[in-house]
Every structure is written in structure tokens, then in C-alpha cells.
Amino acid sequence: MNSDLLRPLTLEFLEIVRAWRNSPAVAQYMYTAEPISAEQQQNWYARTSQDPSVHYWLIYYRDRPVGVANLYAINQRNRSCYWAFYLGEENLHGSGIGAKVESAVLEYVFNRLNLNKLACEVFVTNEKVIAMHEKFGFRREAYFRQHIYKDKAFMDVVGLALLRREWQQLHPAPHSQPVSEKP
């Protein structure tokens, strides 16, 4: 399935993804901030591209890649997974692309994968992303105190989740942002 918004991450885009991931603007929201080498990036891609419990997509805007979205810890038995995304292009923050990505991922998780729960973890300092998730119906389920040690300090994390029935109540009509499958 083709999508204008989300397309599977392929080998040819690893360096741009690595550049985004290593940028301070993106790394500040990640659990780790150590620079990633080209070899580490290649090894990561080799692992994740063969792992059925993860999906990685490039986020496209005006027909060019601008960020990454992913599902991880996909658990068919429990019908749940986690998700995350980031925009590598700083000038697009606040543009509404994040909301479009979230809508497409929710559609994919609940209608395509037929999962029951989508969860995420966000640093408490990332208030805009927490608020965006809550607009989509995510509820705060956890507060992880001093959960991540980064930059010589412990950081708190909020755990949020959305259940399929909650999403269906908020979004009864089908959505139209398809997500491409793995290549």
C-alpha cells in the first residue's frame, strides 16, 4: 500500500535518518543522546528490518522525507505495541504534521494490525507532545520517576496509552491516511 505521508524506511535513507537522530534538536527527546556511527546505524537497520515486532516509516511532507515514525514491541498475543515519532526538520514543528502522523498510525494500529492498545512514553518536559497525544484520546497511565539517566541527570517520563474502543468512540468514521507496509 502506498502513502503520501508514511513510507517504509529503506536503506538509501539511513544517513539522513542518522543525521536527524544525531542532531541536538532530535536527541533531546530520545532516551540516549550518544552520537550514532554509520556502522551502528547499519547494524541497527539490519536488525530492525528483519524484526516483525517493529515497523519504521519515513514521514513525508511535500514529497520529501522529514522525519521518522515507528511501532515497537508489537505483541500479537497481547494485541499491543508502543510507538514514537520525530520530525528531523525543525522548521516543521507546530505545522500539524505530527497530528497527521498520529492519525495515520492510529488507523494502522487499530484497523490494519487489529491491536487493542497503543502506548508511548514521553519525557515530562515535552509538554506539547503529551498534549497532542491527549487530544487524540491517550490517557496518562504511568508516571515513571527518574526513569532515564541522561546528560548527568535523572529524567521523569509519562506513560500514555489509547485503547481501541476509546479510539473508536472518538473516531467512528474510517480515516484515509494509509500506511505503507515494510518493503
Side-chain angles (χ1 to χ4, degrees), residues 1 3-7 57 59 69 71 83 96-113 118 136 167 171 175-180:
M1 175 176 16
S3 173
D4 291 333
L5 182 63
L6 298 175
R7 301 177 195 168
W57 298 281
I59 300 167
L71 301 179
W83 92 287
I97 293 173
K100 290 177 183 176
V101 169
E102 186 144 349
S103 181
V105 167
L106 289 168
E107 176 75 22
Y108 184 77
V109 165
F110 294 127
N111 288 344
R112 184 78 180 234
L113 295 181
L118 179 61
F136 276 89
W167 180 75
H171 303 84
H175 291 72
S176 61
Q177 284 289 349
V179 176
S180 297

PDB file of all heavy atoms in Angstrom, residues 1 3-7 57 59 69 71 83 96-113 118 136 167 171 175-180:
ATOM      1  N   MET A   1       0.846  -1.169   0.000  1.00  0.00           N
ATOM      2  CA  MET A   1       0.000   0.000   0.000  1.00  0.00           C
ATOM      3  C   MET A   1       0.898   1.241   0.000  1.00  0.00           C
ATOM      4  O   MET A   1       1.850   1.329   0.747  1.00  0.00           O
ATOM      5  CB  MET A   1      -0.883  -0.052   1.248  1.00  0.00           C
ATOM      6  CG  MET A   1      -1.711   1.153   1.439  1.00  0.00           C
ATOM      7  SD  MET A   1      -2.866   1.121   2.833  1.00  0.00           S
ATOM      8  CE  MET A   1      -2.307  -0.207   3.844  1.00  0.00           C
ATOM      9  N   SER A   3       1.530   5.400   0.417  1.00  0.00           N
ATOM     10  CA  SER A   3       1.041   6.514   1.221  1.00  0.00           C
ATOM     11  C   SER A   3       1.860   7.757   0.922  1.00  0.00           C
ATOM     12  O   SER A   3       3.061   7.679   0.742  1.00  0.00           O
ATOM     13  CB  SER A   3       1.153   6.178   2.704  1.00  0.00           C
ATOM     14  OG  SER A   3       0.841   7.317   3.475  1.00  0.00           O
ATOM     15  N   ASP A   4       1.194   8.876   0.892  1.00  0.00           N
ATOM     16  CA  ASP A   4       1.909  10.136   0.714  1.00  0.00           C
ATOM     17  C   ASP A   4       2.565  10.599   2.001  1.00  0.00           C
ATOM     18  O   ASP A   4       3.492  11.391   1.984  1.00  0.00           O
ATOM     19  CB  ASP A   4       0.954  11.225   0.224  1.00  0.00           C
ATOM     20  CG  ASP A   4       0.488  10.992  -1.196  1.00  0.00           C
ATOM     21  OD1 ASP A   4       1.226  10.346  -1.967  1.00  0.00           O
ATOM     22  OD2 ASP A   4      -0.619  11.457  -1.539  1.00  0.00           O
ATOM     23  N   LEU A   5       2.080  10.110   3.131  1.00  0.00           N
ATOM     24  CA  LEU A   5       2.565  10.570   4.425  1.00  0.00           C
ATOM     25  C   LEU A   5       3.640   9.666   5.029  1.00  0.00           C
ATOM     26  O   LEU A   5       4.677  10.151   5.477  1.00  0.00           O
ATOM     27  CB  LEU A   5       1.387  10.676   5.400  1.00  0.00           C
ATOM     28  CG  LEU A   5       1.701  11.181   6.797  1.00  0.00           C
ATOM     29  CD1 LEU A   5       2.236  12.610   6.767  1.00  0.00           C
ATOM     30  CD2 LEU A   5       0.454  11.097   7.664  1.00  0.00           C
ATOM     31  N   LEU A   6       3.408   8.378   5.064  1.00  0.00           N
ATOM     32  CA  LEU A   6       4.329   7.430   5.692  1.00  0.00           C
ATOM     33  C   LEU A   6       4.731   6.354   4.693  1.00  0.00           C
ATOM     34  O   LEU A   6       3.879   5.690   4.115  1.00  0.00           O
ATOM     35  CB  LEU A   6       3.676   6.772   6.911  1.00  0.00           C
ATOM     36  CG  LEU A   6       3.287   7.702   8.051  1.00  0.00           C
ATOM     37  CD1 LEU A   6       2.541   6.934   9.132  1.00  0.00           C
ATOM     38  CD2 LEU A   6       4.494   8.399   8.634  1.00  0.00           C
ATOM     39  N   ARG A   7       6.029   6.199   4.542  1.00  0.00           N
ATOM     40  CA  ARG A   7       6.568   5.185   3.633  1.00  0.00           C
ATOM     41  C   ARG A   7       7.630   4.390   4.377  1.00  0.00           C
ATOM     42  O   ARG A   7       8.356   4.942   5.202  1.00  0.00           O
ATOM     43  CB  ARG A   7       7.194   5.845   2.405  1.00  0.00           C
ATOM     44  CG  ARG A   7       6.217   6.693   1.610  1.00  0.00           C
ATOM     45  CD  ARG A   7       6.893   7.390   0.461  1.00  0.00           C
ATOM     46  NE  ARG A   7       6.038   8.443  -0.061  1.00  0.00           N
ATOM     47  CZ  ARG A   7       6.427   9.371  -0.905  1.00  0.00           C
ATOM     48  NH1 ARG A   7       7.684   9.389  -1.337  1.00  0.00           N
ATOM     49  NH2 ARG A   7       5.591  10.290  -1.342  1.00  0.00           N
ATOM     50  N   TRP A  57       8.880   3.899   9.522  1.00  0.00           N
ATOM     51  CA  TRP A  57       8.489   4.639   8.336  1.00  0.00           C
ATOM     52  C   TRP A  57       9.195   5.986   8.299  1.00  0.00           C
ATOM     53  O   TRP A  57       9.487   6.576   9.336  1.00  0.00           O
ATOM     54  CB  TRP A  57       6.988   4.923   8.336  1.00  0.00           C
ATOM     55  CG  TRP A  57       6.125   3.717   8.326  1.00  0.00           C
ATOM     56  CD1 TRP A  57       5.802   2.928   7.250  1.00  0.00           C
ATOM     57  CD2 TRP A  57       5.419   3.156   9.428  1.00  0.00           C
ATOM     58  NE1 TRP A  57       4.963   1.922   7.642  1.00  0.00           N
ATOM     59  CE2 TRP A  57       4.714   2.036   8.971  1.00  0.00           C
ATOM     60  CE3 TRP A  57       5.329   3.490  10.788  1.00  0.00           C
ATOM     61  CZ2 TRP A  57       3.917   1.261   9.797  1.00  0.00           C
ATOM     62  CZ3 TRP A  57       4.536   2.709  11.612  1.00  0.00           C
ATOM     63  CH2 TRP A  57       3.849   1.612  11.115  1.00  0.00           C
ATOM     64  N   ILE A  59       8.539   9.835   7.445  1.00  0.00           N
ATOM     65  CA  ILE A  59       7.434  10.782   7.350  1.00  0.00           C
ATOM     66  C   ILE A  59       7.747  11.688   6.161  1.00  0.00           C
ATOM     67  O   ILE A  59       8.842  12.258   6.078  1.00  0.00           O
ATOM     68  CB  ILE A  59       7.311  11.627   8.627  1.00  0.00           C
ATOM     69  CG1 ILE A  59       7.054  10.720   9.837  1.00  0.00           C
ATOM     70  CG2 ILE A  59       6.220  12.680   8.472  1.00  0.00           C
ATOM     71  CD1 ILE A  59       7.224  11.424  11.182  1.00  0.00           C
ATOM     72  N   ALA A  69       8.685   7.708  11.953  1.00  0.00           N
ATOM     73  CA  ALA A  69       7.668   7.178  12.865  1.00  0.00           C
ATOM     74  C   ALA A  69       7.919   5.684  13.003  1.00  0.00           C
ATOM     75  O   ALA A  69       8.399   5.048  12.053  1.00  0.00           O
ATOM     76  CB  ALA A  69       6.267   7.427  12.331  1.00  0.00           C
ATOM     77  N   LEU A  71       6.655   1.820  15.163  1.00  0.00           N
ATOM     78  CA  LEU A  71       5.989   0.975  16.146  1.00  0.00           C
ATOM     79  C   LEU A  71       7.049   0.035  16.677  1.00  0.00           C
ATOM     80  O   LEU A  71       7.910  -0.414  15.915  1.00  0.00           O
ATOM     81  CB  LEU A  71       4.876   0.152  15.506  1.00  0.00           C
ATOM     82  CG  LEU A  71       3.748   0.893  14.825  1.00  0.00           C
ATOM     83  CD1 LEU A  71       2.759  -0.106  14.229  1.00  0.00           C
ATOM     84  CD2 LEU A  71       3.038   1.833  15.794  1.00  0.00           C
ATOM     85  N   TRP A  83       4.655   3.238  20.316  1.00  0.00           N
ATOM     86  CA  TRP A  83       5.005   3.998  19.131  1.00  0.00           C
ATOM     87  C   TRP A  83       5.764   5.256  19.515  1.00  0.00           C
ATOM     88  O   TRP A  83       5.730   5.700  20.665  1.00  0.00           O
ATOM     89  CB  TRP A  83       3.768   4.311  18.298  1.00  0.00           C
ATOM     90  CG  TRP A  83       3.066   5.605  18.573  1.00  0.00           C
ATOM     91  CD1 TRP A  83       2.298   5.931  19.651  1.00  0.00           C
ATOM     92  CD2 TRP A  83       3.049   6.752  17.719  1.00  0.00           C
ATOM     93  NE1 TRP A  83       1.810   7.200  19.517  1.00  0.00           N
ATOM     94  CE2 TRP A  83       2.245   7.730  18.344  1.00  0.00           C
ATOM     95  CE3 TRP A  83       3.631   7.045  16.491  1.00  0.00           C
ATOM     96  CZ2 TRP A  83       2.012   8.971  17.773  1.00  0.00           C
ATOM     97  CZ3 TRP A  83       3.391   8.289  15.929  1.00  0.00           C
ATOM     98  CH2 TRP A  83       2.595   9.235  16.570  1.00  0.00           C
ATOM     99  N   GLY A  96       1.389  20.826  12.208  1.00  0.00           N
ATOM    100  CA  GLY A  96       0.270  19.896  12.101  1.00  0.00           C
ATOM    101  C   GLY A  96       0.645  18.542  11.530  1.00  0.00           C
ATOM    102  O   GLY A  96      -0.186  17.633  11.483  1.00  0.00           O
ATOM    103  N   ILE A  97       1.894  18.394  11.108  1.00  0.00           N
ATOM    104  CA  ILE A  97       2.322  17.109  10.547  1.00  0.00           C
ATOM    105  C   ILE A  97       2.280  16.015  11.619  1.00  0.00           C
ATOM    106  O   ILE A  97       1.872  14.888  11.347  1.00  0.00           O
ATOM    107  CB  ILE A  97       3.715  17.214   9.910  1.00  0.00           C
ATOM    108  CG1 ILE A  97       3.651  18.114   8.684  1.00  0.00           C
ATOM    109  CG2 ILE A  97       4.248  15.840   9.522  1.00  0.00           C
ATOM    110  CD1 ILE A  97       4.990  18.429   8.084  1.00  0.00           C
ATOM    111  N   GLY A  98       2.689  16.346  12.825  1.00  0.00           N
ATOM    112  CA  GLY A  98       2.656  15.363  13.903  1.00  0.00           C
ATOM    113  C   GLY A  98       1.259  14.797  14.111  1.00  0.00           C
ATOM    114  O   GLY A  98       1.089  13.588  14.303  1.00  0.00           O
ATOM    115  N   ALA A  99       0.246  15.637  14.064  1.00  0.00           N
ATOM    116  CA  ALA A  99      -1.138  15.178  14.222  1.00  0.00           C
ATOM    117  C   ALA A  99      -1.546  14.269  13.062  1.00  0.00           C
ATOM    118  O   ALA A  99      -2.234  13.260  13.266  1.00  0.00           O
ATOM    119  CB  ALA A  99      -2.077  16.374  14.321  1.00  0.00           C
ATOM    120  N   LYS A 100      -1.128  14.597  11.862  1.00  0.00           N
ATOM    121  CA  LYS A 100      -1.437  13.736  10.713  1.00  0.00           C
ATOM    122  C   LYS A 100      -0.763  12.379  10.856  1.00  0.00           C
ATOM    123  O   LYS A 100      -1.352  11.339  10.538  1.00  0.00           O
ATOM    124  CB  LYS A 100      -1.003  14.405   9.408  1.00  0.00           C
ATOM    125  CG  LYS A 100      -1.849  15.595   9.046  1.00  0.00           C
ATOM    126  CD  LYS A 100      -1.345  16.268   7.785  1.00  0.00           C
ATOM    127  CE  LYS A 100      -2.190  17.501   7.496  1.00  0.00           C
ATOM    128  NZ  LYS A 100      -1.703  18.248   6.337  1.00  0.00           N
ATOM    129  N   VAL A 101       0.485  12.384  11.331  1.00  0.00           N
ATOM    130  CA  VAL A 101       1.210  11.132  11.549  1.00  0.00           C
ATOM    131  C   VAL A 101       0.492  10.310  12.618  1.00  0.00           C
ATOM    132  O   VAL A 101       0.274   9.103  12.451  1.00  0.00           O
ATOM    133  CB  VAL A 101       2.681  11.402  11.942  1.00  0.00           C
ATOM    134  CG1 VAL A 101       3.362  10.133  12.429  1.00  0.00           C
ATOM    135  CG2 VAL A 101       3.435  12.015  10.771  1.00  0.00           C
ATOM    136  N   GLU A 102       0.121  10.956  13.710  1.00  0.00           N
ATOM    137  CA  GLU A 102      -0.561  10.237  14.786  1.00  0.00           C
ATOM    138  C   GLU A 102      -1.861   9.616  14.287  1.00  0.00           C
ATOM    139  O   GLU A 102      -2.159   8.458  14.571  1.00  0.00           O
ATOM    140  CB  GLU A 102      -0.833  11.167  15.972  1.00  0.00           C
ATOM    141  CG  GLU A 102      -1.401  10.428  17.148  1.00  0.00           C
ATOM    142  CD  GLU A 102      -0.904  10.956  18.485  1.00  0.00           C
ATOM    143  OE1 GLU A 102       0.035  11.759  18.533  1.00  0.00           O
ATOM    144  OE2 GLU A 102      -1.459  10.516  19.494  1.00  0.00           O
ATOM    145  N   SER A 103      -2.625  10.346  13.519  1.00  0.00           N
ATOM    146  CA  SER A 103      -3.865   9.824  12.975  1.00  0.00           C
ATOM    147  C   SER A 103      -3.623   8.605  12.081  1.00  0.00           C
ATOM    148  O   SER A 103      -4.327   7.587  12.188  1.00  0.00           O
ATOM    149  CB  SER A 103      -4.573  10.928  12.174  1.00  0.00           C
ATOM    150  OG  SER A 103      -5.786  10.452  11.659  1.00  0.00           O
ATOM    151  N   ALA A 104      -2.618   8.679  11.227  1.00  0.00           N
ATOM    152  CA  ALA A 104      -2.299   7.560  10.334  1.00  0.00           C
ATOM    153  C   ALA A 104      -1.833   6.337  11.112  1.00  0.00           C
ATOM    154  O   ALA A 104      -2.218   5.203  10.801  1.00  0.00           O
ATOM    155  CB  ALA A 104      -1.234   7.980   9.321  1.00  0.00           C
ATOM    156  N   VAL A 105      -1.018   6.554  12.137  1.00  0.00           N
ATOM    157  CA  VAL A 105      -0.520   5.437  12.937  1.00  0.00           C
ATOM    158  C   VAL A 105      -1.665   4.790  13.716  1.00  0.00           C
ATOM    159  O   VAL A 105      -1.758   3.558  13.793  1.00  0.00           O
ATOM    160  CB  VAL A 105       0.626   5.894  13.868  1.00  0.00           C
ATOM    161  CG1 VAL A 105       0.946   4.847  14.922  1.00  0.00           C
ATOM    162  CG2 VAL A 105       1.861   6.217  13.037  1.00  0.00           C
ATOM    163  N   LEU A 106      -2.558   5.590  14.276  1.00  0.00           N
ATOM    164  CA  LEU A 106      -3.710   5.038  14.995  1.00  0.00           C
ATOM    165  C   LEU A 106      -4.574   4.185  14.062  1.00  0.00           C
ATOM    166  O   LEU A 106      -4.996   3.081  14.431  1.00  0.00           O
ATOM    167  CB  LEU A 106      -4.539   6.160  15.612  1.00  0.00           C
ATOM    168  CG  LEU A 106      -3.892   6.877  16.792  1.00  0.00           C
ATOM    169  CD1 LEU A 106      -4.648   8.153  17.130  1.00  0.00           C
ATOM    170  CD2 LEU A 106      -3.809   5.965  17.989  1.00  0.00           C
ATOM    171  N   GLU A 107      -4.826   4.692  12.892  1.00  0.00           N
ATOM    172  CA  GLU A 107      -5.602   3.941  11.895  1.00  0.00           C
ATOM    173  C   GLU A 107      -4.921   2.599  11.602  1.00  0.00           C
ATOM    174  O   GLU A 107      -5.569   1.554  11.557  1.00  0.00           O
ATOM    175  CB  GLU A 107      -5.739   4.777  10.621  1.00  0.00           C
ATOM    176  CG  GLU A 107      -6.435   4.083   9.485  1.00  0.00           C
ATOM    177  CD  GLU A 107      -7.934   3.971   9.674  1.00  0.00           C
ATOM    178  OE1 GLU A 107      -8.506   4.765  10.441  1.00  0.00           O
ATOM    179  OE2 GLU A 107      -8.526   3.076   9.046  1.00  0.00           O
ATOM    180  N   TYR A 108      -3.638   2.629  11.407  1.00  0.00           N
ATOM    181  CA  TYR A 108      -2.877   1.415  11.081  1.00  0.00           C
ATOM    182  C   TYR A 108      -2.899   0.417  12.247  1.00  0.00           C
ATOM    183  O   TYR A 108      -3.158  -0.776  12.051  1.00  0.00           O
ATOM    184  CB  TYR A 108      -1.445   1.804  10.736  1.00  0.00           C
ATOM    185  CG  TYR A 108      -0.586   0.648  10.292  1.00  0.00           C
ATOM    186  CD1 TYR A 108      -0.701   0.125   9.009  1.00  0.00           C
ATOM    187  CD2 TYR A 108       0.346   0.080  11.148  1.00  0.00           C
ATOM    188  CE1 TYR A 108       0.085  -0.941   8.594  1.00  0.00           C
ATOM    189  CE2 TYR A 108       1.143  -0.982  10.746  1.00  0.00           C
ATOM    190  CZ  TYR A 108       1.004  -1.486   9.471  1.00  0.00           C
ATOM    191  OH  TYR A 108       1.788  -2.543   9.072  1.00  0.00           O
ATOM    192  N   VAL A 109      -2.645   0.894  13.451  1.00  0.00           N
ATOM    193  CA  VAL A 109      -2.573   0.021  14.617  1.00  0.00           C
ATOM    194  C   VAL A 109      -3.925  -0.634  14.901  1.00  0.00           C
ATOM    195  O   VAL A 109      -4.004  -1.845  15.130  1.00  0.00           O
ATOM    196  CB  VAL A 109      -2.078   0.805  15.852  1.00  0.00           C
ATOM    197  CG1 VAL A 109      -2.337   0.050  17.147  1.00  0.00           C
ATOM    198  CG2 VAL A 109      -0.601   1.109  15.703  1.00  0.00           C
ATOM    199  N   PHE A 110      -4.993   0.158  14.881  1.00  0.00           N
ATOM    200  CA  PHE A 110      -6.287  -0.377  15.287  1.00  0.00           C
ATOM    201  C   PHE A 110      -7.056  -1.053  14.159  1.00  0.00           C
ATOM    202  O   PHE A 110      -7.777  -2.022  14.406  1.00  0.00           O
ATOM    203  CB  PHE A 110      -7.132   0.716  15.942  1.00  0.00           C
ATOM    204  CG  PHE A 110      -6.552   1.201  17.246  1.00  0.00           C
ATOM    205  CD1 PHE A 110      -6.337   2.545  17.466  1.00  0.00           C
ATOM    206  CD2 PHE A 110      -6.209   0.311  18.252  1.00  0.00           C
ATOM    207  CE1 PHE A 110      -5.802   2.995  18.666  1.00  0.00           C
ATOM    208  CE2 PHE A 110      -5.668   0.745  19.453  1.00  0.00           C
ATOM    209  CZ  PHE A 110      -5.469   2.089  19.663  1.00  0.00           C
ATOM    210  N   ASN A 111      -6.921  -0.579  12.934  1.00  0.00           N
ATOM    211  CA  ASN A 111      -7.677  -1.168  11.832  1.00  0.00           C
ATOM    212  C   ASN A 111      -6.891  -2.166  10.995  1.00  0.00           C
ATOM    213  O   ASN A 111      -7.462  -3.120  10.490  1.00  0.00           O
ATOM    214  CB  ASN A 111      -8.248  -0.081  10.923  1.00  0.00           C
ATOM    215  CG  ASN A 111      -9.386   0.656  11.590  1.00  0.00           C
ATOM    216  OD1 ASN A 111      -9.938   0.194  12.583  1.00  0.00           O
ATOM    217  ND2 ASN A 111      -9.736   1.800  11.053  1.00  0.00           N
ATOM    218  N   ARG A 112      -5.612  -1.939  10.829  1.00  0.00           N
ATOM    219  CA  ARG A 112      -4.808  -2.844   9.993  1.00  0.00           C
ATOM    220  C   ARG A 112      -4.194  -3.980  10.812  1.00  0.00           C
ATOM    221  O   ARG A 112      -4.315  -5.137  10.453  1.00  0.00           O
ATOM    222  CB  ARG A 112      -3.714  -2.030   9.290  1.00  0.00           C
ATOM    223  CG  ARG A 112      -2.879  -2.798   8.346  1.00  0.00           C
ATOM    224  CD  ARG A 112      -3.620  -3.005   7.041  1.00  0.00           C
ATOM    225  NE  ARG A 112      -2.803  -3.746   6.130  1.00  0.00           N
ATOM    226  CZ  ARG A 112      -2.517  -3.357   4.922  1.00  0.00           C
ATOM    227  NH1 ARG A 112      -2.985  -2.227   4.457  1.00  0.00           N
ATOM    228  NH2 ARG A 112      -1.771  -4.102   4.149  1.00  0.00           N
ATOM    229  N   LEU A 113      -3.538  -3.628  11.931  1.00  0.00           N
ATOM    230  CA  LEU A 113      -2.932  -4.654  12.776  1.00  0.00           C
ATOM    231  C   LEU A 113      -3.941  -5.272  13.744  1.00  0.00           C
ATOM    232  O   LEU A 113      -3.665  -6.295  14.352  1.00  0.00           O
ATOM    233  CB  LEU A 113      -1.753  -4.073  13.564  1.00  0.00           C
ATOM    234  CG  LEU A 113      -0.557  -3.595  12.754  1.00  0.00           C
ATOM    235  CD1 LEU A 113       0.541  -3.073  13.674  1.00  0.00           C
ATOM    236  CD2 LEU A 113      -0.023  -4.699  11.844  1.00  0.00           C
ATOM    237  N   LEU A 118      -2.339   0.966  22.115  1.00  0.00           N
ATOM    238  CA  LEU A 118      -1.151   1.667  21.625  1.00  0.00           C
ATOM    239  C   LEU A 118      -0.636   2.537  22.757  1.00  0.00           C
ATOM    240  O   LEU A 118      -1.391   3.336  23.322  1.00  0.00           O
ATOM    241  CB  LEU A 118      -1.474   2.527  20.405  1.00  0.00           C
ATOM    242  CG  LEU A 118      -0.317   3.319  19.811  1.00  0.00           C
ATOM    243  CD1 LEU A 118       0.794   2.394  19.319  1.00  0.00           C
ATOM    244  CD2 LEU A 118      -0.807   4.205  18.681  1.00  0.00           C
ATOM    245  N   PHE A 136      -5.736  13.208  21.078  1.00  0.00           N
ATOM    246  CA  PHE A 136      -6.161  12.029  20.327  1.00  0.00           C
ATOM    247  C   PHE A 136      -6.800  10.969  21.221  1.00  0.00           C
ATOM    248  O   PHE A 136      -7.183   9.913  20.747  1.00  0.00           O
ATOM    249  CB  PHE A 136      -4.974  11.425  19.564  1.00  0.00           C
ATOM    250  CG  PHE A 136      -4.729  12.104  18.253  1.00  0.00           C
ATOM    251  CD1 PHE A 136      -3.885  13.200  18.171  1.00  0.00           C
ATOM    252  CD2 PHE A 136      -5.343  11.662  17.092  1.00  0.00           C
ATOM    253  CE1 PHE A 136      -3.667  13.843  16.957  1.00  0.00           C
ATOM    254  CE2 PHE A 136      -5.133  12.293  15.877  1.00  0.00           C
ATOM    255  CZ  PHE A 136      -4.294  13.384  15.813  1.00  0.00           C
ATOM    256  N   TRP A 167     -10.507   4.778  21.036  1.00  0.00           N
ATOM    257  CA  TRP A 167     -10.252   5.404  19.738  1.00  0.00           C
ATOM    258  C   TRP A 167     -11.498   5.335  18.857  1.00  0.00           C
ATOM    259  O   TRP A 167     -11.860   6.306  18.204  1.00  0.00           O
ATOM    260  CB  TRP A 167      -9.063   4.721  19.060  1.00  0.00           C
ATOM    261  CG  TRP A 167      -8.725   5.287  17.730  1.00  0.00           C
ATOM    262  CD1 TRP A 167      -8.087   6.468  17.465  1.00  0.00           C
ATOM    263  CD2 TRP A 167      -8.993   4.699  16.458  1.00  0.00           C
ATOM    264  NE1 TRP A 167      -7.946   6.647  16.113  1.00  0.00           N
ATOM    265  CE2 TRP A 167      -8.499   5.570  15.478  1.00  0.00           C
ATOM    266  CE3 TRP A 167      -9.607   3.517  16.061  1.00  0.00           C
ATOM    267  CZ2 TRP A 167      -8.600   5.304  14.123  1.00  0.00           C
ATOM    268  CZ3 TRP A 167      -9.706   3.243  14.713  1.00  0.00           C
ATOM    269  CH2 TRP A 167      -9.201   4.137  13.762  1.00  0.00           C
ATOM    270  N   HIS A 171     -13.391   8.365  17.150  1.00  0.00           N
ATOM    271  CA  HIS A 171     -13.220   8.417  15.698  1.00  0.00           C
ATOM    272  C   HIS A 171     -14.050   7.329  15.030  1.00  0.00           C
ATOM    273  O   HIS A 171     -13.500   6.367  14.502  1.00  0.00           O
ATOM    274  CB  HIS A 171     -11.745   8.248  15.336  1.00  0.00           C
ATOM    275  CG  HIS A 171     -10.865   9.255  15.985  1.00  0.00           C
ATOM    276  ND1 HIS A 171     -10.381   9.099  17.268  1.00  0.00           N
ATOM    277  CD2 HIS A 171     -10.394  10.439  15.549  1.00  0.00           C
ATOM    278  CE1 HIS A 171      -9.653  10.154  17.579  1.00  0.00           C
ATOM    279  NE2 HIS A 171      -9.644  10.979  16.565  1.00  0.00           N
ATOM    280  N   HIS A 175     -10.654   6.486   8.611  1.00  0.00           N
ATOM    281  CA  HIS A 175      -9.691   7.510   8.213  1.00  0.00           C
ATOM    282  C   HIS A 175      -9.128   7.160   6.847  1.00  0.00           C
ATOM    283  O   HIS A 175      -9.256   6.042   6.389  1.00  0.00           O
ATOM    284  CB  HIS A 175      -8.575   7.613   9.251  1.00  0.00           C
ATOM    285  CG  HIS A 175      -9.064   8.176  10.545  1.00  0.00           C
ATOM    286  ND1 HIS A 175      -9.878   7.465  11.399  1.00  0.00           N
ATOM    287  CD2 HIS A 175      -8.874   9.374  11.114  1.00  0.00           C
ATOM    288  CE1 HIS A 175     -10.156   8.214  12.446  1.00  0.00           C
ATOM    289  NE2 HIS A 175      -9.555   9.362  12.303  1.00  0.00           N
ATOM    290  N   SER A 176      -8.434   8.109   6.251  1.00  0.00           N
ATOM    291  CA  SER A 176      -7.970   7.876   4.881  1.00  0.00           C
ATOM    292  C   SER A 176      -6.480   8.066   4.696  1.00  0.00           C
ATOM    293  O   SER A 176      -6.047   8.373   3.611  1.00  0.00           O
ATOM    294  CB  SER A 176      -8.715   8.811   3.939  1.00  0.00           C
ATOM    295  OG  SER A 176      -8.445  10.151   4.284  1.00  0.00           O
ATOM    296  N   GLN A 177      -5.681   7.937   5.736  1.00  0.00           N
ATOM    297  CA  GLN A 177      -4.226   8.075   5.602  1.00  0.00           C
ATOM    298  C   GLN A 177      -3.585   6.695   5.696  1.00  0.00           C
ATOM    299  O   GLN A 177      -3.203   6.258   6.764  1.00  0.00           O
ATOM    300  CB  GLN A 177      -3.647   8.980   6.694  1.00  0.00           C
ATOM    301  CG  GLN A 177      -3.890  10.435   6.487  1.00  0.00           C
ATOM    302  CD  GLN A 177      -3.067  10.990   5.345  1.00  0.00           C
ATOM    303  OE1 GLN A 177      -2.172  10.360   4.833  1.00  0.00           O
ATOM    304  NE2 GLN A 177      -3.402  12.185   4.936  1.00  0.00           N
ATOM    305  N   PRO A 178      -3.482   5.975   4.583  1.00  0.00           N
ATOM    306  CA  PRO A 178      -2.885   4.639   4.659  1.00  0.00           C
ATOM    307  C   PRO A 178      -1.399   4.700   4.969  1.00  0.00           C
ATOM    308  O   PRO A 178      -0.732   5.671   4.677  1.00  0.00           O
ATOM    309  CB  PRO A 178      -3.122   4.079   3.258  1.00  0.00           C
ATOM    310  CG  PRO A 178      -3.239   5.274   2.390  1.00  0.00           C
ATOM    311  CD  PRO A 178      -3.833   6.369   3.235  1.00  0.00           C
ATOM    312  N   VAL A 179      -0.928   3.632   5.587  1.00  0.00           N
ATOM    313  CA  VAL A 179       0.490   3.492   5.929  1.00  0.00           C
ATOM    314  C   VAL A 179       1.047   2.345   5.118  1.00  0.00           C
ATOM    315  O   VAL A 179       0.442   1.275   5.048  1.00  0.00           O
ATOM    316  CB  VAL A 179       0.643   3.213   7.446  1.00  0.00           C
ATOM    317  CG1 VAL A 179       2.090   2.965   7.786  1.00  0.00           C
ATOM    318  CG2 VAL A 179       0.090   4.368   8.252  1.00  0.00           C
ATOM    319  N   SER A 180       2.175   2.546   4.516  1.00  0.00           N
ATOM    320  CA  SER A 180       2.788   1.501   3.717  1.00  0.00           C
ATOM    321  C   SER A 180       3.346   0.405   4.592  1.00  0.00           C
ATOM    322  O   SER A 180       3.796   0.643   5.700  1.00  0.00           O
ATOM    323  CB  SER A 180       3.925   2.077   2.861  1.00  0.00           C
ATOM    324  OG  SER A 180       3.412   3.023   1.962  1.00  0.00           O
TER     325      SER A 180
END
